[in-house]
Amino acid sequence: MKSNYNIAVCLSGEPRTWKHTAAAIRHFFSSDVHNYKFFGHTWNNSYYNKEHRFASNALSKSLKLVSATQDHLVNRNRLIDEFENSSWNDNYDNKTLADNLTDTFGMTDILVEDKKVVSAVCNSLDLIYPEFVAKFDKEYGANQRKPVVLSHISYSKMRANSLKTQYELENEMQFDVVVSARFDVCYPPTEKFDHWLQFHGTILPTAIYGESHYFPNEYFLPHFNDVIYFGNSRIMNVVDDFYRYLVSGKFWEMLDENYTDCALKSCGYNVNLYKWLTIKNILIKNINIPHTVFRKTEKNLTWPQDWDEIVNANRILFQ
């Protein structure tokens, strides 16, 4: 292992609860030995889908417990009003958000965009190759669940990584380690990323480091966790270039006879990411860096004092 690494942290995805996780992220990616630089891509909108689904289920259960008598209608209406008045979406001004994130993380470069820049098929293809778009919709995109969501995730990762690459070109250097992480994730108060570099020693030139397992909710297919992973700069360029192959349909062609597999196309981003890694012959080094997603439902909690409660709140949403 080198005595001193230049490390790029590429934050991507929706900003969501970044104000609550910022202190944890800054602490986790700080060092007296290694040099860290932050790059980021995010959106001017956040949607709290898991919190919304959990609250919907809780509301349904609560309403079933409230009788329909006149005496209980007030309580019933109160529950409904509380749910409907809760905000499951946040909208941001692009420049304000970019400035705030830059100030908070000391961003070297960041880009905030509207999700309209992404579609299931590249916009440039619509007029030039209409026959290709028809083929994509019929063959590659058929049965795919929420294809635009997969595109949003992969596009954001690609753009964050591209800012890192642009910095490398302009400064005639290359980062030793590149980390892909999210804005809405925090880490244990006792942990630092330095530990994982020391644990693994030299970063293998053809390997990606992250959490891999079989996902029971998606046909027990192998799954690579997109929340945090890392590798050298060249490997991360390949991994985070997934978007271009996904939206063009080339990814499905590379799966050969499996490109019409309805089960695979109904799976989420992590299962498809694992497929992408194996197609590109990238060695998967399985590690589990402790982390948790900070949920909006627990906005009154504070890291690091309430670390255990933050972890538990995230766990409850998956029960």
Side-chain angles (χ1 to χ4, degrees):
M1 177 180 174
K2 286 177 58 176
S3 59
N4 179 274
Y5 274 138
N6 288 316
I7 304 171
V9 180
C10 297
L11 298 174
S12 61
E14 294 183 352
R16 292 183 182 167
T17 53
W18 71 268
K19 291 183 179 179
H20 301 278
T21 62
I25 293 172
R26 290 198 309 267
H27 175 267
F28 187 66
F29 296 110
S30 64
S31 176
D32 295 326
V33 178
H34 305 296
N35 304 313
Y36 286 91
K37 287 190 180 296
F38 288 86
F39 301 85
H41 175 275
T42 191
W43 307 105
N44 57 14
N45 172 269
S46 293
Y47 175 53
Y48 301 90
N49 55 327
K50 286 188 174 62
E51 288 90 331
H52 178 265
R53 185 165 61 246
F54 181 82
S56 298
N57 294 336
L59 175 65
S60 297
K61 292 178 182 178
S62 297
L63 292 179
K64 288 178 181 178
L65 296 175
V66 177
S67 65
T69 63
Q70 188 65 37
D71 293 341
H72 294 84
L73 284 179
V74 174
N75 188 41
R76 185 183 184 87
N77 291 335
R78 179 184 59 80
L79 292 171
I80 295 174
D81 288 341
E82 286 180 357
F83 176 79
E84 292 179 344
N85 291 330
S86 297
S87 175
W88 308 112
N89 286 278
D90 288 334
N91 295 299
Y92 316 88
D93 173 74
N94 290 30
K95 186 180 185 306
T96 301
L97 179 59
D99 290 344
N100 289 339
L101 291 172
T102 298
D103 293 341
T104 300
F105 293 102
M107 287 281 183
T108 298
D109 203 355
I110 187 168
L111 177 63
V112 178
E113 292 188 277
D114 190 288
K115 290 176 182 174
K116 293 178 182 178
V117 301
V118 173
S119 62
V121 182
C122 292
N123 295 327
S124 59
L125 294 172
D126 292 348
L127 297 177
I128 304 174
Y129 301 114
E131 69 281 1
F132 175 82
V133 175
K135 180 174 179 149
F136 181 93
D137 291 339
K138 182 179 179 181
E139 298 184 20
Y140 306 137
N143 307 310
Q144 203 178 347
R145 185 187 67 185
K146 298 181 179 178
V148 179
V149 174
L150 300 185
S151 298
H152 285 153
I153 297 171
S154 55
Y155 176 89
S156 188
K157 287 183 174 294
M158 179 188 72
R159 293 296 276 142
N161 186 77
S162 71
L163 295 177
K164 173 271 305 179
T165 302
Q166 185 65 34
Y167 179 89
E168 291 177 326
L169 293 171
E170 291 174 353
N171 292 274
E172 298 182 347
M173 55 83 70
Q174 190 172 66
F175 287 99
D176 301 299
V177 179
V178 178
V179 185
S180 176
R182 281 172 35 178
F183 285 99
D184 62 342
V185 171
C186 56
Y187 306 90
T190 56
E191 288 281 352
K192 285 204 171 185
F193 184 72
D194 280 16
H195 164 76
W196 298 98
L197 291 178
Q198 295 168 356
F199 180 77
H200 285 282
T202 302
I203 302 299
L204 297 177
T206 60
I208 193 78
Y209 297 79
E211 181 184 356
S212 174
H213 53 82
Y214 290 89
F215 203 34
N217 292 338
E218 296 187 350
Y219 313 103
F220 281 93
L221 289 168
H223 160 117
F224 189 76
N225 194 345
D226 71 296
V227 173
I228 179 171
Y229 54 84
F230 64 94
N232 68 31
S233 187
R234 185 184 67 84
I235 283 294
M236 293 296 283
N237 288 345
V238 177
V239 174
D240 288 343
D241 200 34
F242 182 37
Y243 169 80
R244 295 194 304 111
Y245 291 81
L246 177 67
V247 300
S248 67
K250 292 299 181 182
F251 171 64
W252 304 109
E253 286 186 346
M254 294 168 77
L255 294 176
D256 296 323
E257 71 276 6
N258 294 320
Y259 84 89
T260 57
D261 188 341
C262 297
L264 179 60
K265 289 186 179 182
S266 71
C267 292
Y269 179 73
N270 294 341
V271 169
N272 288 284
L273 178 59
Y274 186 97
K275 286 284 187 181
W276 174 242
L277 297 178
T278 57
I279 286 174
K280 303 304 287 186
N281 294 316
I282 295 174
L283 175 64
I284 298 174
K285 299 291 286 184
N286 194 13
I287 64 171
N288 186 4
I289 298 176
H291 65 271
T292 193
V293 177
F294 194 107
R295 299 297 177 181
K296 187 178 183 180
T297 52
E298 308 306 317
K299 60 185 178 182
N300 293 324
L301 297 179
T302 303
W303 184 94
Q305 300 94 306
D306 303 318
W307 166 251
D308 291 337
E309 290 88 345
I310 294 170
V311 172
N312 189 56
N314 183 56
R315 185 184 298 117
I316 288 174
L317 289 182
F318 287 90
Q319 290 180 348

